[in-house]
Amino acid sequence: QYRAKHAAEYSISTVGNQCKWSATHPERHVYTLASCEEAHAYAISVGQRFRGHNLCWGNNNPAWLTDGNFSASELTRILQDHIKTVMRGVKASAKGSSPLAWDVVNEATNDTAAFKPNTWYPALPNYVDIAFIAARAADPETLLFYNDFAVASAGSPKSEQMYRMVKSMVDRAIPIDGVGLQCHLS
């Protein structure tokens, strides 16, 4: 019943975990894109657009990545390769049909600093820029989003951090098309 309602009443699909690192890149040189590709194919089959979620996040990463003690240059290559492989693979599986959008980076900011410590930061201080540049190179036809929670209300410390980050990206011509505002309502 849920799938029928979803197919009939929605115009876009976003997956929960099928496109995250743990699902798409479980081992260092192994990609498993089938679940992400199937989610994109489902959206197309019911006349919906698809938003891939997500290409880079501090959570939901495989142990090989989080425990790898990689240098900044290694992390850069890993991140660039991951983004290129996932984006191009998902597009190719749909006969060249790009998803409408990708959440390129998810939840990088916090209340007290521009970036919260995670798999990428502080080891790779410019990881957000690297991710967006790699995403635009991988697929110039899709929209690129930064996505975060607790930023929907202007004036909060976290929303101000996110605003400064995105404004800086725009000012420096880092390719970004929009911001996703998660609303965890209760």
Side-chain angles (χ1 to χ4, degrees):
Q1 290 175 333
Y2 173 81
R3 187 169 275 227
K5 175 93 43 199
H6 180 267
E9 296 188 14
Y10 291 86
S11 61
I12 189 168
S13 283
T14 304
V15 294
N17 295 312
Q18 292 92 325
C19 298
K20 293 178 181 169
W21 277 71
S22 57
T24 60
H25 202 166
E27 297 176 43
R28 176 122 190 230
H29 300 290
V30 175
Y31 286 91
T32 56
L33 304 181
S35 292
C36 188
E37 292 168 348
E38 288 169 12
H40 187 210
Y42 161 76
I44 292 169
S45 76
V46 295
Q48 297 175 352
R49 299 301 307 266
F50 182 73
R51 181 180 183 130
H53 177 80
N54 59 53
L55 296 166
C56 179
W57 187 23
N59 295 349
N60 208 5
N61 292 311
W64 73 264
L65 180 61
T66 59
D67 300 338
N69 296 315
F70 297 107
S71 69
S73 61
E74 289 172 313
L75 282 173
T76 297
R77 284 191 301 277
I78 290 167
L79 181 58
Q80 291 169 330
D81 181 68
H82 174 83
I83 289 171
K84 177 182 73 173
T85 302
V86 172
M87 289 181 74
R88 289 183 178 169
V90 170
K91 180 177 179 176
S93 75
K95 298 179 177 65
S97 176
S98 294
L100 171 67
W102 275 97
D103 290 330
V104 178
V105 176
N106 193 55
E107 301 176 6
T109 63
N110 67 20
D111 291 346
T112 59
F115 299 107
K116 61 184 172 187
N118 61 33
T119 302
W120 307 102
Y121 186 84
L124 190 58
N126 60 337
Y127 82 97
V128 173
D129 290 355
I130 291 167
F132 276 88
I133 292 167
R136 179 58 75 223
D139 188 352
E141 297 173 2
T142 192
L143 297 171
L144 307 179
F145 280 77
Y146 173 75
N147 189 58
D148 215 328
F149 70 96
V151 293
S153 298
S156 74
K158 186 172 181 177
S159 67
E160 292 300 316
Q161 293 286 10
M162 185 205 63
Y163 174 81
R164 284 190 291 275
M165 178 189 74
V166 172
K167 182 178 184 318
S168 171
M169 292 171 70
V170 170
D171 290 347
R172 294 178 294 111
I174 302 299
I176 183 170
D177 297 304
V179 174
L181 305 176
Q182 297 176 37
C183 293
H184 297 263
L185 305 174
S186 58

